[in-house]
Structures are given as C-alpha cells and as structure tokens.
Amino acid sequence: MESGAPSQREVLFSVRNLSKVFPDFGGKGGGFRALSGLNLDIFAGECLLVAGSNGSGKTVLMKILAALMDMSGGEVLFRGLALGKALPRLRRELGLVFQDADAQIVGETVAEDVAFGPKNLGFSGSALEERVNRTLESMGLSAKRDFPSRDLSGGEKRRLAVAGILAMGCGIIIMDEPFANLDYFGVLQVLELIRDEKARGATLIILTHELEKVLAFADRLLILDRGKLRDDGKPEDVLDRLLPEYGIRDPRQSYRSAGDCTWLPA
Ligand SMILES: Nc1ncnc2c1ncn2[C@@H]1O[C@H](COP(=O)(O)OP(=O)(O)OP(=O)(O)O)[C@@H](O)[C@H]1O
Ligand SMILES: [Mg+2]
C-alpha cells in the first residue's frame, strides 16, 4: 500500500495501530471492533477522501481525530503531540462538519449560528459582520439570516453547518458526509468551498461514499471497510484496485442514456 502524499510534507496527524472497540450488546463478549489497527499519516495541505460503506468506521475515525471520542488502543498524534496535549491547538485549527447537521446547530438564528465560531476565535464588530455576511452569501443563506436555525430544511441545515466552519477560516477541515441532503446548487456550493479552501492551502479530510461528487479534488483516497484501512493512495490507483466487498461504486463508470441511469446493474 503506497501513500499518495509526498513524504517531505508536514505531518498533521499520525495514526498508529488505532483501534476502537465498543461494548458488545449482543452478549457474545469481546466487544464490537469499529476500527482495527489503523496506520496513516495526514499531511498539511492535502485533500484526503475517506470512503467506505455504512458502518465502516468513517465517523468514528473523525471523532477520534477530533478528540471527541476515546480510542481503545494505539495512538494518534497531532503535530507530534499526543491528542490530549495538543488539544488547545487542535481546537483552534480544526473545523468539523458533522454528519448530523442538527447536532451542530449552536445559534438561535442562522446569522448567530454562523457568528458563533468566529466569535470564539476573537472576531467582533465589523470584521465579524463581514465574515458572517460573506459566508452566508457563499452558502446561499443570506435571505435566511434571521430565520430560526432549527426550522431550516435538512439541506439548509447542512449549508449552515458548512457555513459555520467556513466562517472560522480553519486550517484543517474535516467534513463528514458534506453532501448529504444537499440539492444540486448546494452540492456545487460545497464543492466551490472545497476548491477555494484547497487553493488557500487548507487541509481537507472528507468522509463520504459519494465519490463521484468530489473525487476530482482529492489528492489521496482511503478505503475503510469494516473498520480496517484497506487501501490508501492516489485516487486513480485506488479505484483500479477496488474490490466489490468494499461496497463502493467506481465513479468513473458513466451513463450513456436515461435508461442507463441506475446504480443497479441491469
Ligand atoms: N457509540 C457507539 N456505540 C456502539 N457502536 C457504535 C457507536 N458509534 C459507532 N458505532 C458502531 O461503529 C461502526 C462504525 O460507525 P461509523 O459511524 O463510524 O460508521 P460510518 O462509516 O460513519 O457509516 P455511515 O456511512 O453510515 O455514516 C458502526 O457499526 C456503528 O454501529
Ligand atoms: Mg458516518
């Protein structure tokens, strides 16, 4: 397994032999292994795509990297420091878009929600206002700025979650299923954000099974399958090696007519 990222780049996260075991509710004992023996380095400035079917461990990995969940074994370093020690820096540098957009809502109104992160980072007055306005505009939420956040539609909540992270200007962004619930324009807006953040030099970690939407921006593709890291490399190479058991559709397959447009092979 070769890595697609150049080795001379600064390592942000070092993951060594990481495992996560949840208590077993089935009575069999031994627990449920959500992650087993993961080894990977994540480099500054790369756009890393983590693909895997439902339950493969993507969100658990994200939560552990973000120090929101304990690991059961192994080690994760952030900039060479154990996560516990690196916590203040990690909190400053890392922005998260959660899979569950509702879990991310912190402000009563849309504008208050977007302002929350930058305020915590010390922005105020016109600098804060300008940031919030620009971000709402880029995620198509300007008209909803005084709307109660909780009453947004599912896709609007996803836009809001992305807007909140964008407004913080974080150097590292992890997005868990950022396209879920989004309509066509919503997907385009998130893709533009990914493109712009990448150009700005941000490190992007995108967890998704919707490869076809974003693969072009990926420097590296990881495949998680039942808690194991099955592949890690340049997207083109990893796709050439895809196994059916990973449950991932090769997005290079195209459609010729409306009659071909289904994911279920004829
Ligand atoms: N708190 C928990 N307690 C017990 N099991 C858990 C817990 N959180 C996750 N799991 C289990 O760990 C496995 C991996 O979950 P995870 O949420 O990481 O999957 P995922 O790859 O993000 O899937 P999806 O594509 O559906 O979002 C799943 O089988 C899940 O049931
Ligand atoms: Mg998930």
Side-chain angles (χ1 to χ4, degrees), residues 22 32 34 53-60 99 177 209:
F22 289 110
F32 172 75
S53 53
N54 294 145
S56 56
K58 302 182 295 295
T59 298
V60 168
Q99 181 164 13
E177 301 294 352
H209 38 244

Side-chain angles (χ1 to χ4, degrees), residues 45 51 65 95 111 116 124 139 148 153 161 187 194 210 214-215 228 253 259:
L65 290 178
F116 183 83
S124 62
M139 287 312 295
S153 76
V187 170
I194 289 170
E210 299 183 79
V214 66
L215 197 65
K228 294 205 169 115
Q253 297 167 23

